[in-house]
Amino acid sequence: MQSRTPAVRPGRPRSAAADTAILAATRAALVELGWSKLTLGDVAARAGVAKTTLYRRWSGKNELVVDAVAELFDELELPDRGSLTADIEGVILQFAAILARPEAKSGLMAVVAESTRDDALRERIRASIVERQKLLVLEGRARAQQRGELPGESDPEAAARTADLIFDVIAGAVVHRALVSAEPVDTDWARAFTGLLLNGLTASTGHPPPSSHQTSFPRRTGAPRE
Amino acid sequence: MQSRTPAVRPGRPRSAAADTAILAATRAALVELGWSKLTLGDVAARAGVAKTTLYRRWSGKNELVVDAVAELFDELELPDRGSLTADIEGVILQFAAILARPEAKSGLMAVVAESTRDDALRERIRASIVERQKLLVLEGRARAQQRGELPGESDPEAAARTADLIFDVIAGAVVHRALVSAEPVDTDWARAFTGLLLNGLTASTGHPPPSSHQTSFPRRTGAPRE
Amino acid sequence: MQSRTPAVRPGRPRSAAADTAILAATRAALVELGWSKLTLGDVAARAGVAKTTLYRRWSGKNELVVDAVAELFDELELPDRGSLTADIEGVILQFAAILARPEAKSGLMAVVAESTRDDALRERIRASIVERQKLLVLEGRARAQQRGELPGESDPEAAARTADLIFDVIAGAVVHRALVSAEPVDTDWARAFTGLLLNGLTASTGHPPPSSHQTSFPRRTGAPRE
Amino acid sequence: MQSRTPAVRPGRPRSAAADTAILAATRAALVELGWSKLTLGDVAARAGVAKTTLYRRWSGKNELVVDAVAELFDELELPDRGSLTADIEGVILQFAAILARPEAKSGLMAVVAESTRDDALRERIRASIVERQKLLVLEGRARAQQRGELPGESDPEAAARTADLIFDVIAGAVVHRALVSAEPVDTDWARAFTGLLLNGLTASTGHPPPSSHQTSFPRRTGAPRE
DNA sequence: ACTTAAGCGAGACGGTACGTCCCGTCTTGCG
DNA sequence: CGCAAGACGGGACGTACCGTCTCGCTTAAGT
């Protein structure tokens, strides 16, 4: 309908190819140099673009990297694998696969670090990266409810709080495993984590957790101690 | 007999006061300027120290900030609050309190970001920050086992894997809530998260979770749907 | 057709004003601080210019000072004073006047000292300072020959050698008097030196030296001693 | 008689070997690095001496280098070669030989440059280097007067002025030839220069110059032109 | 033999300047 | 008006030396 910024501005229009080239060059530079040694001059050179062109579109390194990294998360989706357990495991592994890429590793954490002092940057991250991940949680829950694996919600507010918690737990645990502990997020770990999560969500109901996997958590097995 | 580093080295000894002043100045600068605008020249000036003195002791910004932030984690401990639930909640809130401080916020994430491309840095972070946190998990489990809240371990290897998982989940979730979602880690959240965690750990055993709190998680209550 | 350096280079052209300001600032700093305490950062600040701008044009302190001092020698010329004697005295006093200026004093000797280990620097000095002085010698001789004060040259090679010698003697004596002996190069001294020089050049001919001045040199006057 | 500084001071006496080692190390460093890249720390290390030891004896680079270079001029002397001409040529070549050594080249000019802004330094140079050279001029004149090659002096003041002039001319010309023009001071040049000098000193007396050499200077030969 | 007092090596210290790198902005001329 | 090119003012970098200051040890002469 109405284009907020007039569809056509006077003068030569901006090159669309430039944006693509710049974002690709940014990711390439992230892989090669990492966040801290990445320079906008270098990105511009790699993209075959003048620095001015780059600054015309992004206000700085942070914003540029957010956009460059955000595109990596486009591939996140939630294919229906038939059960809540499988869906969760799937999304964990997908997320971990993205985090394993060097352009995401240092870039993502660095902009998060910056965002602690820059609200506009945090909002940009939230809008273009975090929100997309959170939708998967909501979508997964809805699908599980349809399947009957989870009950419907009575209190929408509590449901939202719960979704936030689950999201922080999943995203936080995966990121921490991958970046801080620097251990691989492989199928075994994903299965164990999923078990913990689903047990936590469904426990104390006399209802068996929907997972068919066995976790390796300590649990009282044989006879009680006394 | 064995003096690993010779008891006395020739020449003027290094000033112990300088180290203290530098680390304090670093934290002060982190609060005021944040990671990205912190400069070593500024830190040196605040500490009343020459830049050379600073570089004689630390090889760069990353290493300095790790040490400066690590001292914040000295206050982490695990007072016995009587139950596993209370202990976990306590440590979560302690951890969150540290993360809420601006000198920790941007500093910690930034060095983690850098550590994705610098193994020595990651090891330094692990040794001086992460390991200290992980010990709390182990200590908490041992205490719970003494209390009879958790069973003893049969397979030590599986136990270690489990401890790692729990650690990643706790630390990751708290960090993600605090820094990415930028929501407060308050008592309510801690209680909800602790409930999820303990349910996950003890579920499907016929053993009731040790927590006395009520979580707000969706669980099948009352009559099943059919 | 022939454009040695392409008439227009892409990009913003260098500021001509900057060069002027930098050279003037260099001379001012030489006066105030002398060679050894002159810093390029200070020069840049005085010139109202960034250090990078300075380094873009000169490779270091030596080169910069050579250019700054060379401009002082622009004022060297050889006005026709009617006789060889007067011409020589005039050029000696001119040269001495330049050397008396503090910006020339320490700067000139310092770069000469440096040039003993840097051929490129020596060449720069030669081209922009020394050669200009030497031309005066040649010009003076030509003029004297026109006047008939000196004979024409038969052997051009020997003539060149002689000119070199005269040049070293004049320049060397003036510099030594001014900087090493630290005595004033005044009219008296110039007259005495000119006398010595012209006597040396024209002696043993039975031809009176062209000078009309009287030197104070020891010469056998009355009766020989035996 | 009375030793101004008491012959023995309490405490450990200064090592005489250190002075020797330091001056030798200074010359070695001058050869290798030149004046501008010579550092006192490096000199101390070469001499196997602590920096403090060095600073206890010299107040800085300039003073140290003056002393180190001054020792080179110890070898300057005026052997009697039988005639004024030969004596002058000899001392010119000796002087040039010292100037040809790299430790003298850059060192000497550099301290002279510094001395333009430091009177104490200039006095130190004068006392330990220049004065020694000037004595040769006086000694040479006295010897020539004994030989009858030069007349006795009637006016001692004029004689002193003349000696100063001659000294500036000789030293200046040799230095300029060697360091500025960077041409060799060889026998030919010395002979030509000596000829010029002696002609200048003795001309217009009807007395033939004492030199037996022929200079290559333009002089009116044969029949006068008219 | 013991004291006294300076010399001595080593190296840390507060500084200053270095020359480089990158920033984000500004002129250029061309399309 | 977009764009490539590149100069610009500015700021921080990490390094090199400066000249001074602690250290503990050594080396005499005077007791």
Side-chain angles (χ1 to χ4, degrees):
Chain A
M1 291 288 161
Q2 86 308 356
S3 60
R4 207 159 304 201
T5 47
V8 284
R9 294 184 296 175
R12 177 172 170 180
R14 289 189 180 167
S15 155
D19 282 71
T20 313
I22 291 170
L23 290 174
T26 302
R27 282 188 293 270
L30 273 177
V31 172
E32 251 181 63
L33 308 169
W35 157 268
S36 60
K37 305 204 167 171
L38 177 152
T39 71
L40 295 203
D42 183 66
V43 168
R46 282 168 194 260
V49 141
K51 263 199 303 175
T52 38
T53 300
L54 205 155
Y55 278 106
R56 214 172 278 125
R57 294 161 154 87
W58 287 276
S59 65
K61 191 166 157 174
N62 291 328
E63 286 70 19
L64 173 61
V65 170
V66 169
D67 285 8
V69 170
E71 289 193 344
L72 296 176
F73 288 85
D74 285 350
E75 63 190 49
L76 264 188
E77 49 181 17
L78 193 85
D80 190 333
R81 306 190 175 201
S83 75
L84 180 54
T85 306
D87 282 2
I88 293 180
E89 282 182 27
V91 82
I92 286 173
L93 291 172
Q94 266 190 44
F95 188 32
I98 294 175
L99 281 184
R101 297 171 68 169
E103 59 267 45
K105 261 196 175 98
S106 65
L108 189 57
M109 282 296 94
V111 294
V112 167
E114 290 302 306
S115 77
T116 59
R117 314 201 93 244
D118 179 345
D119 286 338
L121 183 60
R122 168 153 50 230
E123 176 51 23
R124 193 181 192 111
I125 294 173
R126 201 196 56 68
S128 62
I129 300 185
V130 177
E131 204 60 29
R132 206 174 318 185
Q133 299 169 12
K134 194 177 280 185
L135 284 177
L136 295 190
V137 170
L138 300 176
E139 188 181 346
R141 177 165 64 181
R143 195 183 287 167
Q145 289 171 335
Q146 279 191 322
R147 287 198 199 101
E149 292 172 302
L150 289 175
E153 298 136 20
S154 47
D155 180 354
E157 197 175 304
R161 272 205 307 279
T162 304
D164 283 352
L165 174 62
I166 294 170
F167 171 58
D168 282 331
V169 171
I170 294 179
V174 172
V175 167
H176 201 272
R177 169 85 175 176
L179 301 189
V180 180
S181 298
E183 300 283 349
V185 176
D186 52 18
T187 314
D188 283 349
W189 188 87
R191 190 161 295 163
F193 177 44
T194 306
L196 169 61
L197 197 63
L198 286 180
N199 279 339
L201 293 176
T202 59
S204 74
T205 61
H207 195 87
S211 166
S212 56
H213 301 304
Q214 270 299 65
T215 76
S216 61
F217 288 120
R219 55 186 63 174
R220 294 191 178 247
T221 47
R225 209 189 293 152
E226 78 287 342
Chain B
M1 284 294 162
Q2 83 317 349
S3 64
R4 207 160 303 203
T5 47
V8 284
R9 293 185 305 170
R12 178 173 173 176
R14 289 193 178 167
S15 157
D19 282 71
T20 313
I22 291 169
L23 291 174
T26 304
R27 282 187 293 269
L30 274 177
V31 172
E32 250 181 63
L33 310 168
W35 158 268
S36 61
K37 303 204 167 173
L38 178 154
T39 73
L40 296 203
D42 183 68
V43 168
R46 283 168 193 260
V49 140
K51 247 196 316 174
T52 44
T53 298
L54 207 155
Y55 277 107
R56 214 173 276 124
R57 294 163 154 85
W58 287 275
S59 64
K61 194 166 156 174
N62 292 329
E63 286 70 19
L64 173 60
V65 169
V66 170
D67 285 9
V69 170
E71 289 193 343
L72 296 176
F73 289 85
D74 284 349
E75 61 191 49
L76 262 189
E77 49 182 18
L78 193 84
D80 190 333
R81 307 189 173 200
S83 75
L84 179 54
T85 305
D87 283 1
I88 293 180
E89 282 183 27
V91 81
I92 286 173
L93 290 172
Q94 268 189 41
F95 188 33
I98 295 174
L99 281 184
R101 298 171 67 169
E103 60 266 45
K105 261 198 177 93
S106 66
L108 190 57
M109 280 298 94
V111 293
V112 166
E114 290 302 305
S115 78
T116 59
R117 314 199 93 244
D118 179 345
D119 286 339
L121 183 61
R122 168 151 53 228
E123 175 52 23
R124 193 181 192 110
I125 295 174
R126 200 197 55 70
S128 61
I129 300 185
V130 176
E131 204 60 29
R132 208 173 317 185
Q133 300 169 11
K134 193 177 281 184
L135 283 177
L136 295 189
V137 170
L138 299 177
E139 190 183 343
R141 175 163 67 179
R143 195 183 286 168
Q145 287 170 337
Q146 277 190 323
R147 286 198 198 103
E149 293 171 302
L150 289 177
E153 297 137 19
S154 47
D155 181 352
E157 198 176 302
R161 271 205 308 278
T162 305
D164 284 353
L165 173 61
I166 295 170
F167 172 59
D168 282 331
V169 171
I170 295 180
V174 172
V175 168
H176 202 272
R177 168 83 176 177
L179 302 188
V180 180
S181 298
E183 301 283 349
V185 176
D186 52 19
T187 312
D188 283 349
W189 188 88
R191 190 161 293 163
F193 177 42
T194 304
L196 168 61
L197 196 62
L198 286 180
N199 280 339
L201 292 176
T202 59
S204 72
T205 60
H207 194 87
S211 168
S212 57
H213 301 304
Q214 272 297 68
T215 76
S216 61
F217 289 120
R219 59 184 62 176
R220 297 189 175 245
T221 54
R225 207 191 294 154
E226 76 283 342
Chain C
M1 283 298 158
Q2 80 327 340
S3 65
R4 206 158 303 202
T5 46
V8 284
R9 293 186 304 171
R12 179 174 172 177
R14 289 193 177 168
S15 156
D19 282 72
T20 312
I22 290 169
L23 290 174
T26 303
R27 282 188 293 270
L30 273 176
V31 172
E32 251 180 63
L33 308 168
W35 157 268
S36 60
K37 304 205 168 173
L38 177 155
T39 71
L40 296 202
D42 183 67
V43 169
R46 283 168 195 260
V49 141
K51 251 196 313 175
T52 41
T53 299
L54 206 155
Y55 278 105
R56 213 173 276 124
R57 293 163 155 85
W58 288 277
S59 64
K61 193 166 155 174
N62 292 329
E63 286 71 17
L64 172 60
V65 169
V66 170
D67 285 8
V69 170
E71 289 193 342
L72 296 176
F73 289 86
D74 284 349
E75 63 189 49
L76 264 188
E77 49 180 16
L78 193 85
D80 191 332
R81 306 190 174 201
S83 75
L84 179 53
T85 305
D87 283 1
I88 293 180
E89 282 183 27
V91 81
I92 285 174
L93 290 172
Q94 267 189 41
F95 188 31
I98 294 174
L99 281 184
R101 298 171 66 170
E103 59 267 45
K105 262 198 176 94
S106 66
L108 191 56
M109 282 297 93
V111 293
V112 167
E114 290 302 306
S115 78
T116 59
R117 317 201 89 245
D118 180 344
D119 286 338
L121 183 60
R122 167 152 52 230
E123 176 52 23
R124 194 183 192 110
I125 295 173
R126 200 196 57 69
S128 62
I129 300 185
V130 177
E131 204 60 30
R132 207 174 315 186
Q133 300 169 10
K134 194 177 281 186
L135 283 177
L136 296 189
V137 170
L138 299 176
E139 188 182 345
R141 177 163 66 180
R143 194 183 288 168
Q145 288 171 336
Q146 279 190 321
R147 287 198 197 101
E149 293 171 301
L150 289 176
E153 296 137 22
S154 48
D155 181 353
E157 199 175 303
R161 272 205 308 278
T162 304
D164 284 353
L165 174 61
I166 296 170
F167 172 59
D168 282 330
V169 171
I170 295 180
V174 172
V175 167
H176 201 272
R177 169 84 175 177
L179 301 188
V180 180
S181 297
E183 300 283 348
V185 176
D186 51 19
T187 314
D188 284 349
W189 189 88
R191 189 162 295 164
F193 176 43
T194 305
L196 169 62
L197 197 62
L198 285 180
N199 280 338
L201 291 176
T202 59
S204 74
T205 61
H207 196 89
S211 167
S212 55
H213 301 303
Q214 270 297 66
T215 76
S216 61
F217 290 119
R219 56 185 64 174
R220 295 188 178 246
T221 48
R225 209 191 292 156
E226 76 285 341
Chain D
M1 286 296 157
Q2 89 304 357
S3 60
R4 209 159 304 199
T5 47
V8 284
R9 292 185 297 175
R12 178 174 173 178
R14 288 189 180 167
S15 157
D19 282 71
T20 313
I22 290 170
L23 290 174
T26 303
R27 282 188 293 270
L30 272 177
V31 173
E32 251 180 63
L33 309 169
W35 157 269
S36 61
K37 304 205 167 171
L38 177 152
T39 72
L40 295 203
D42 184 65
V43 169
R46 282 168 193 259
V49 140
K51 260 198 306 175
T52 39
T53 300
L54 205 155
Y55 277 106
R56 215 172 276 124
R57 293 161 155 87
W58 286 276
S59 66
K61 191 167 157 174
N62 291 329
E63 286 71 18
L64 174 60
V65 169
V66 170
D67 285 8
V69 170
E71 289 192 343
L72 296 176
F73 288 86
D74 284 349
E75 64 190 48
L76 262 189
E77 51 179 16
L78 194 83
D80 190 332
R81 306 191 175 200
S83 75
L84 179 54
T85 306
D87 283 2
I88 294 180
E89 283 182 27
V91 80
I92 286 174
L93 291 172
Q94 267 189 43
F95 189 32
I98 294 175
L99 280 184
R101 298 171 66 170
E103 58 267 46
K105 261 196 176 97
S106 66
L108 190 57
M109 281 297 94
V111 293
V112 166
E114 290 301 306
S115 77
T116 58
R117 314 199 96 243
D118 178 346
D119 287 337
L121 183 60
R122 168 152 52 228
E123 175 52 23
R124 192 182 192 112
I125 295 173
R126 201 197 54 70
S128 61
I129 300 185
V130 176
E131 204 60 30
R132 207 174 316 185
Q133 299 168 12
K134 193 177 281 185
L135 284 177
L136 295 189
V137 170
L138 299 176
E139 190 182 344
R141 176 162 67 178
R143 194 183 288 168
Q145 288 170 336
Q146 278 190 322
R147 287 197 198 101
E149 292 171 303
L150 289 175
E153 297 136 18
S154 46
D155 179 355
E157 199 175 303
R161 273 206 307 279
T162 305
D164 283 353
L165 174 61
I166 295 171
F167 172 58
D168 282 331
V169 172
I170 295 181
V174 173
V175 167
H176 202 272
R177 169 84 175 175
L179 302 189
V180 180
S181 298
E183 300 283 348
V185 176
D186 52 19
T187 313
D188 283 350
W189 189 87
R191 189 162 295 164
F193 176 42
T194 305
L196 168 63
L197 196 62
L198 287 180
N199 279 339
L201 292 177
T202 59
S204 72
T205 62
H207 194 89
S211 167
S212 56
H213 301 303
Q214 273 297 67
T215 75
S216 60
F217 290 118
R219 59 184 61 175
R220 299 193 175 239
T221 55
R225 209 189 289 152
E226 78 288 338

